[in-house]
Amino acid sequence: MTQLSVAPMEEQHLDFVVSYWKNASPDDLARMGVDRNKFPPFDVFRKNLSNTLNAGAAAQKSFYLIWYVDDTAIGYSSLKDIDYGKHGNMHLHMWAPVARGKGYG
């Protein structure tokens, strides 16, 4: 039986996230409404993610979870525009193409 689990993102996951965006096809980016020209340089993006992971909970404007299927990381979700204790907006990104369209989200 397949087991789905999530856990807070850690430093060890940052390269997966950066690679997901760096290697996204033009079609994938267009589907998500992402303009690659407006994306920060990937070293800056990684540093920004690292800074967010290391900020205190009440100071975070974003929070990230890694999604696993059978202990294999398949993607991540981001909770952004956080008004701490009130609301935020969530997005899910599957970097493992074999995990897409399987209902894991």
Side-chain angles (χ1 to χ4, degrees):
M1 174 169 229
T2 301
Q3 182 179 355
L4 177 68
S5 59
V6 296
M9 184 184 291
E10 298 176 353
E11 290 279 335
Q12 68 193 26
H13 301 114
L14 295 181
D15 289 335
F16 289 116
V17 175
V18 172
S19 292
Y20 168 76
W21 290 105
K22 187 175 183 179
N23 298 321
S25 72
D27 287 342
D28 286 339
L29 293 173
R31 182 178 43 80
M32 292 183 280
V34 175
D35 180 349
R36 189 181 299 273
N37 296 320
K38 293 182 180 179
F39 212 82
F42 291 105
D43 59 331
V44 172
F45 179 54
R46 189 185 195 291
K47 180 67 175 166
N48 290 345
L49 285 173
S50 179
N51 290 343
T52 297
L53 294 181
N54 293 306
Q60 289 180 333
K61 295 297 178 188
S62 301
F63 180 76
Y64 300 92
L65 291 170
I66 297 297
W67 289 61
Y68 296 90
V69 169
D70 297 330
D71 297 322
T72 298
I74 60 166
Y76 77 102
S77 60
S78 60
L79 178 62
K80 296 184 176 189
D81 304 319
I82 296 171
D83 186 356
Y84 193 74
K86 295 180 183 173
H87 67 85
N89 299 313
M90 184 177 150
H91 301 275
L92 174 60
H93 300 278
M94 297 288 186
W95 62 62
V98 298
R100 296 178 189 151
K102 305 288 187 210
Y104 296 134

